[in-house]
Amino acid sequence: MRVVLLEHPRAVVPERCNDIANTPLASCLLTGYTAGVLQEAGHEVEIVEGYLDHLSYEEIGRRIGDAVPGLLGVHMVYQWQRDRLLFDFLEGLKASGAVPYIAVYGYYPTFAFDAVLRECTAVDAVVVGEPELTFAELAGRLARGGEIGGIPGLAVRDADGGIRCTRREPVKDLDRLPFPVRTPAMMRLPEVNLQGSRGCYGGCTFCYINPFYGQGSHWRGRSPENIAAEIDKILEKWGKRDFYFTDPNFFGPGERGQKRALRLASLLKDRGVRFGIEARVNDIRDETIGALVAAGLRSILIGLESGRDESLQRMNKRTTVAQNEAALRILRKHGIEPNVGFIMFEPDSTLEDVRANFEFLKRNRLLEKLEITANVLYHHQIVLKGTPAYRELDRSGRLRISDNPYEGTAVYENDGVACLAEVMRGLTNFLFTRLSGVWSGRVQPPPEAPEIFRRANAHLVECFETILSTLEAGGCLQEAERDAFVKRHELHLAGLLAGIPEG
Ligand code: SF4
């Protein structure tokens, strides 16, 4: 069967620019892996890179029309409730007869399958969780003209207008999957994305990595030999040497996880590659990091999340502030300045928690670069369907949902925390929008940029301190005062950044 897999264009929503990505990094190879499994099963697959190739829906429609697929798969990502354009496109496509069957997959539809099936009549099925095997079974059944009922991992409408959904067991042995298909668009990215593992042995309340894979999901790793073999293929075919492991948790649990990482380091050492990873702080150990750096490790994102043990416990992070600080020390000793995941404002934060976070960031030199400061001084906890936090907030009546049940907002327990979060949201959104050209690499910064950023950084830190101290002293800001504060300091920041080109 001929199958087209589409990465659809993604809406840009300026007011959500600082709310992390609209799909986890771990999703970026879903299409490539699905294409690999479909090809292995004998299907003919074309990937249309609507997002990376900046294609219009008109152009995408033309390509799908030319391909004449028996099945269209759409990797659907969350667009901050701007799905209508995609739904209209799919409905038009179906009505024109260009494609007989449409199935969508990805993190967003896995958790919002009922809303997707209700709102878009053109979608015949939603693949929930890991898509590869379900998609291959669906393509096989359609090719044979068989019934699709009863395929595990599929959500479909039933004859009574209801929706049926069953889950599929996650793939046990990742080495058995073919390597993902890679398109020229993927290979134009600065780093080649690799997936060395799936799932996580942690259980953070805000995370939906394990819920995506389904009940009983845990960390599953590819063997170091299998990863090295894929890297060799990429080196040979594309000559690329920069890689990024999209694994939410690069290290497996405990000693076994460290041994595997050391084995991978020994395999990569002489290949002349550079790579980045994402990890939990409790897995950052001196010997392993030393070996990985010698093998080409150049960047790492660690999930610190908080500078207060009480907050870490509420998030079920299963780490401590002491472990956060030890991880920073080890990474810096090996010459790596990490990117950090940090949740300044969680629903139950008190002003004491926020103060502890602020002092933690200062003490650990994490408020010295504007692009990092703007992130860590704002991030609130995103509440997505499927996470334990979503369920708990819903149960306690503190979840606010607007149009789409996929995403909720937590009502803050503390009014002062809510006020400070709102101010920082305004100021950091201004910075992310104003500096998007420079921070995305589209615009070249002038030579004086470091000094300009240093001053803007100091001003942002000062704004945080001013509001926090006012609240700690028992003061409060009414909505009008808060808005006036944001306006005044946006103007000040705009003045400081006058020498930085927009774009
Ligand atoms: S450590 Fe990371 S991947 Fe694992 S559960 Fe927590 S947030 Fe999710």
Side-chain angles (χ1 to χ4, degrees), residues 205-206 314 347-348 381 383-399 410 413:
T205 57
F206 55 84
R314 280 198 296 269
D348 292 314
Q381 185 175 325
V383 189
L384 296 173
K385 198 168 177 193
T387 62
Y390 187 103
R391 279 195 301 279
E392 177 50 31
L393 288 163
D394 196 17
R395 194 195 55 74
S396 57
R398 291 171 61 199
L399 190 71
E413 188 69 30

Side-chain angles (χ1 to χ4, degrees), residues 185-480:
M186 289 181 199
M187 302 312 280
R188 280 200 304 274
L189 295 171
E191 288 159 331
V192 179
N193 288 317
L194 282 175
Q195 192 178 60
S197 67
R198 293 182 181 183
C200 180
Y201 68 83
C204 306
T205 57
F206 55 84
C207 179
Y208 65 0
I209 294 293
N210 283 333
F212 171 74
Y213 291 113
Q215 200 131 44
S217 164
H218 54 93
W219 186 91
R220 292 165 287 152
R222 291 167 65 191
S223 67
E225 290 72 15
N226 186 258
I227 296 169
E230 187 187 3
I231 288 177
D232 284 345
K233 270 198 107 173
I234 292 167
L235 286 171
E236 190 190 317
K237 181 168 179 196
W238 303 89
K240 295 279 204 172
R241 297 203 164 270
D242 290 283
F243 296 89
Y244 196 87
F245 284 88
T246 63
D247 318 14
N249 189 2
F250 175 80
F251 295 95
E255 292 308 318
R256 224 161 24 96
Q258 297 290 314
K259 270 199 189 133
R260 173 182 171 274
L262 285 168
R263 170 74 185 143
L264 182 61
S266 75
L267 291 176
L268 297 188
K269 198 155 62 87
D270 300 321
R271 283 176 161 84
V273 297
R274 295 166 290 269
F275 59 94
I277 62 173
E278 311 203 336
R280 288 171 57 88
V281 292
N282 56 299
D283 288 320
I284 303 301
R285 300 202 197 159
D286 197 17
E287 184 201 357
T288 319
I289 293 298
L292 287 168
V293 168
L297 177 67
R298 292 293 175 270
S299 72
I300 182 164
L301 174 91
I302 46 171
L304 301 176
E305 316 307 357
S306 182
R308 176 108 158 152
D309 283 330
E310 289 83 342
S311 292
L312 290 169
Q313 280 158 17
R314 280 198 296 269
M315 295 181 211
N316 194 32
K317 189 74 200 175
R318 301 181 201 153
T319 54
T320 62
V321 174
Q323 284 175 316
N324 282 347
E325 298 194 314
L328 288 168
R329 271 196 305 277
I330 291 170
L331 291 168
R332 285 171 173 162
K333 174 183 158 196
H334 290 284
I336 295 196
E337 185 56 39
N339 293 316
V340 301
F342 200 80
I343 299 177
M344 174 59 84
F345 305 108
E346 40 119 6
D348 292 314
S349 291
T350 60
L351 288 175
E352 291 76 40
D353 295 330
V354 174
R355 169 60 70 184
N357 280 343
F358 190 47
E359 297 305 323
F360 168 88
L361 293 169
K362 284 198 278 187
R363 182 167 79 239
N364 287 290
R365 294 182 281 120
L366 291 166
L367 290 180
E368 294 176 5
K369 276 195 179 148
L370 185 58
E371 64 268 38
I372 295 174
T373 305
N375 263 307
V376 296
L377 285 191
Y378 162 59
H379 268 165
H380 69 300
Q381 185 175 325
I382 309 250
V383 189
L384 296 173
K385 198 168 177 193
T387 62
Y390 187 103
R391 279 195 301 279
E392 177 50 31
L393 288 163
D394 196 17
R395 194 195 55 74
S396 57
R398 291 171 61 199
L399 190 71
R400 295 280 173 278
I401 290 171
S402 45
D403 300 336
N404 188 324
Y406 177 69
E407 185 188 14
T409 320
V411 177
Y412 286 106
E413 188 69 30
N414 182 293
D415 291 344
V417 171
C419 170
L420 181 55
E422 203 51 40
V423 168
M424 294 315 293
R425 178 184 178 83
L427 291 177
T428 55
N429 270 356
F430 165 77
L431 284 171
F432 277 99
T433 307
R434 171 65 183 79
L435 295 172
S436 66
V438 173
W439 285 347
S440 67
R442 285 195 308 274
V443 173
Q444 200 51 35
E448 58 278 20
E451 178 55 20
I452 295 175
F453 288 155
R454 192 191 62 72
R455 280 199 226 137
N457 184 67
H459 189 72
L460 189 63
V461 173
E462 202 180 300
C463 286
F464 192 97
E465 176 68 66
T466 303
I467 300 282
L468 180 56
S469 307
T470 306
L471 295 166
E472 284 171 330
C476 74
L477 267 74
Q478 300 304 326
E479 198 177 330

